[in-house]
Amino acid sequence: MSRQSRQVKEAKRRRARVREASRTARGRMWPYVSVAAAAVGIVGAFFLISAGGGSSQDTSASYPAGYTPPIEGDPAAPVEVVMFGDFQCPSCKRFETETLPALREEYVDTGRVRFVWRNFEHYGEESVAAARAAHCAGEQDMFWDYHDLLYRNQRGIGSGAFSRANLLEFADQLGLNATPFTACLDSFRYEDVLAADFRLGRDEGINGTPGFLVNGEYLAGAQPFGTFQSVIEAALEQAR
């Protein structure tokens, strides 16, 4: 078995422990989603150009009714860490490979932190395509597995790493059902989500990636684990 295959299987086992809790909690939260989506929809229509490039998305788009962002961990956890990220962003990859594994082990897997993904793609079409593909994988409960695989295969901005052929190959590696995944990828149905995430990030003061909100407190850049630990512990103390 290859090292990459072992990593994928390991990720699946870890997420299996929290997936059922996430589904149950999402069911409880469903009545409130449309209200939240409407609130986000009236966020300001104009924003500055992103560091690293700028988005070509329709800035008037709003979240589809019923949409909830990908959440890893217990949705009822007392601390929420929201990451605004781009799958081509080198600093995001550094966070994902050096810091996120420790955060998962210490806080997410123990039920103290819920980790939320928001798209803030600003490095061009491959970033948009990768974000779209990750959400399509999410329709088969594999968003986080696909998310991790994208970062493991990142090879630089505009390198072709996230070509359509490669995105389909990643889905195959994870054992996704190819027909609905391909149909989703070709439908462009997550464009409003990507645009709404980007606008939300701008409204929250995000101007580059990665950017984080820890219970609303802004933290910029691929900070080391110790920095996140200090902010999270303070938030846990405040939540008690």
Side-chain angles (χ1 to χ4, degrees), residues 88 90 93 126 153-162:
Q88 288 196 99
K93 180 175 182 177
E126 284 191 57
N153 284 276
Q154 185 196 98
R155 296 200 307 266
I157 298 165
S159 67
F162 300 147

Side-chain angles (χ1 to χ4, degrees), residues 55-71:
S55 174
S56 61
Q57 298 165 0
D58 176 7
T59 59
S60 68
S62 59
Y63 291 109
Y67 172 76
T68 55
I71 299 174

Side-chain angles (χ1 to χ4, degrees), residues 40 57-58 61-63 191-201:
V40 171
Q57 298 165 0
D58 176 7
S62 59
Y63 291 109
E191 302 309 283
D192 283 356
V193 168
L194 306 189
D197 273 356
F198 196 91
R199 187 179 61 249
L200 177 63

Side-chain angles (χ1 to χ4, degrees), residues 170-191:
F170 299 155
D172 184 63
Q173 289 179 29
L174 292 173
L176 295 177
N177 188 320
T179 300
F181 179 85
T182 304
C184 174
L185 192 63
D186 293 342
S187 73
F188 297 90
R189 62 173 167 261
Y190 285 100
E191 302 309 283

